[in-house]
Amino acid sequence: MTEIQVVRNILEANDQLANDIRNEASKYRFFLINVMSSPGSGKTTLLEKLIPELQKRGVKVAVIAGDITTTADATRLARLNLPVVQINTELFGGDCHLGAEIILPALQKFELKDLDLVIIENVGNLVCPAEFDTGADLNLVVISVTEGEDKPLKYPLMFRVCKTAIINKIDLLPHLKFDVHLLEKNIRKINPQMEIFKCSGLTGTGLVELVEKLYLKINQKNSS
Amino acid sequence: MHELQIAQNIVKITEDEVRQSDLTQSISAINLKIGKMHAVIQESLRFSFDVLKRERAQLKQAELIISEIPVKIRCRTCHKTQLITEPIFVCSDCSSTDIEIIGGNELYVDSIEYEDQ
């Protein structure tokens, strides 16, 4: 029996492409946000409120929307008068995340030099997207108050990979037995440095603070 | 769910190594190091790998040997290192939250074994 030493990262192909994306983003100086969550946490509704606020501040935005089969999200976002690339991972079944090999060609469909911000709306899933680097400047997780307070403990990799967490649908709190402080505590158990925002994508509550923070980060990159 | 893609990448890396070393022998084992942070379900990974290897003559005999690496953290405040068994990234000694993960993020093909002819 002979053994050959290999020591190769299983995700090496993805990670190399993620670096290519990082290079594109610094060459054209756009900020790249990867938005992840479980299905139904309100990513699209949140983006529908968030993007116009950024546009009002002069930020030129484009979106890559990942969905397994439909174009519903892309259609909703296209109404905001911005370039959208829809990625359907597969018609039946389909992939569970957007890998760098999918993001890179999608980016190339945009006029990158004209953009300040590209938002990836990843496939709704808290497991797989955390595993595949997209080259994003900011990984952001959305968790809604209709999910469990223990979600962070069940999906630790996701909450470690993300630097920002948005607790969404807070307008529903009066109707629920949901302990936001417990959720925050659980998030911090996994990632004590997590930047946390509490918002409602529907009513717009709490959005100003988030918009300001993102605007700062986008500007830093654009003027770097 | 990400196990299929991980299995595909393992096959790709193995075939690449086989080509580079001009191996004609049958591969008997692929040794993997997988950190607990990746939440890989071993049964699911083996199932995907078994489906993929069927179509590949040189891999038909190959077994995945998975060595699972626990999550290890180091406290930046008191410098103590410890293994953690649940996802609570806080130093159990001094309660500092300023910690770094120094083990458990591994995800690589460590080595490949083949029978000598």
Side-chain angles (χ1 to χ4, degrees):
Chain A
M1 171 111 67
T2 309
E3 189 174 359
I4 320 173
Q5 294 304 315
V6 177
V7 195
R8 279 174 65 175
N9 172 5
I10 293 173
L11 301 180
E12 61 184 14
N14 185 77
D15 291 355
Q16 277 159 15
L17 289 170
N19 277 334
D20 292 345
I21 294 171
R22 261 181 216 106
N23 291 337
E24 287 287 285
S26 44
K27 182 172 154 198
Y28 293 103
R29 286 200 219 139
F30 62 86
F31 193 75
L32 183 62
I33 302 180
N34 180 19
V35 182
M36 295 175 279
S37 79
S38 47
S41 67
K43 288 188 294 298
T44 310
T45 305
L46 188 74
L47 290 177
E48 281 175 321
K49 274 276 185 333
L50 185 68
I51 290 170
E53 288 302 319
L54 290 167
Q55 286 172 322
K56 266 189 228 162
R57 287 165 173 78
V59 179
K60 292 184 218 78
V61 189
V63 175
I64 298 173
D67 238 324
I68 293 178
T69 59
T70 73
T71 57
D73 290 355
T75 312
R76 281 169 64 187
L77 292 167
R79 287 189 202 118
L80 303 176
N81 198 16
L82 82 178
V84 180
V85 171
Q86 163 75 38
I87 297 168
N88 286 138
T89 54
E90 248 312 322
L91 271 175
F92 295 96
D95 220 340
C96 44
H97 67 280
L98 298 181
E101 81 285 359
I102 291 171
I103 303 291
L104 189 59
L107 277 177
Q108 278 149 1
K109 293 188 180 169
F110 297 130
E111 282 294 331
L112 292 175
K113 61 175 172 30
D114 299 338
L115 293 174
D116 304 311
L117 171 66
V118 178
I119 298 174
I120 301 166
E121 184 181 346
N122 218 311
V123 178
N125 178 343
L126 286 176
V127 183
C128 311
E131 202 64 67
F132 297 90
D133 187 6
T134 59
D137 296 285
L138 175 68
N139 285 316
L140 186 154
V141 59
V142 180
I143 175 164
S144 63
V145 297
T146 51
E147 302 169 51
E149 293 99 340
D150 55 356
K151 272 275 165 81
L153 305 179
K154 289 180 178 169
Y155 304 95
L157 186 64
M158 176 60 76
F159 286 82
R160 287 296 301 184
V161 163
C162 291
K163 297 281 168 279
T164 301
I166 296 175
I167 301 174
N168 195 24
K169 305 190 187 178
I170 57 162
D171 55 300
L172 293 178
L173 281 174
H175 312 288
L176 304 169
K177 271 191 190 142
F178 187 88
D179 186 344
V180 181
H181 296 293
L182 179 59
L183 174 63
E184 285 183 81
K185 217 173 113 187
N186 286 338
I187 292 174
R188 297 220 190 276
K189 273 185 188 166
I190 305 289
N191 187 350
Q193 276 78 37
M194 186 81 91
E195 194 171 28
I196 301 175
F197 296 92
K198 285 174 257 181
C199 301
S200 162
L202 193 69
T203 63
T205 311
L207 223 61
V208 179
E209 206 191 338
L210 175 65
V211 169
E212 290 303 327
K213 264 283 161 54
L214 290 179
Y215 182 65
L216 272 176
K217 289 183 203 282
I218 296 159
N219 260 347
Q220 262 170 13
K221 178 84 180 264
N222 294 154
S223 54
S224 63
Chain B
M1 256 193 295
H2 54 310
E3 284 81 359
L4 174 59
Q5 190 147 7
I6 290 174
Q8 285 168 331
N9 290 348
I10 292 167
V11 168
K12 234 181 267 171
I13 289 172
T14 307
E15 288 183 321
D16 192 29
E17 293 291 327
V18 163
R19 234 183 345 263
Q20 278 179 29
S21 315
D22 290 321
L23 286 186
T24 52
Q25 296 91 329
S26 209
I27 302 299
S28 54
I30 302 171
N31 291 298
L32 307 173
K33 298 260 194 255
I34 301 183
K36 289 278 274 180
M37 282 301 288
H38 292 282
V40 169
I41 310 294
Q42 294 197 13
E43 292 77 7
S44 176
L45 179 59
R46 285 181 208 283
F47 175 80
S48 300
F49 178 75
D50 287 347
V51 171
L52 296 169
K53 76 178 187 184
R54 268 185 231 149
E55 302 163 354
R56 292 163 169 86
Q58 247 177 310
L59 296 186
K60 271 193 179 138
Q61 311 295 324
E63 292 296 324
L64 292 184
I65 299 174
I66 302 172
S67 139
E68 202 173 56
I69 301 174
V71 180
K72 194 174 188 181
I73 60 174
R74 176 165 44 216
C75 175
R76 290 201 184 99
T77 308
C78 73
H79 306 292
K80 202 187 156 201
T81 62
Q82 58 189 300
L83 294 177
I84 56 172
T85 50
E86 48 177 348
I88 296 173
F89 296 87
V90 177
C91 177
S92 66
D93 238 38
C94 73
S95 302
S96 167
T97 55
D98 189 13
I99 60 104
E100 58 181 328
I101 298 179
I102 57 170
N105 271 324
E106 300 77 2
L107 188 63
Y108 61 92
V109 177
D110 193 35
S111 65
I112 296 168
E113 294 172 31
Y114 60 91
E115 301 296 340
D116 301 307
Q117 275 170 343

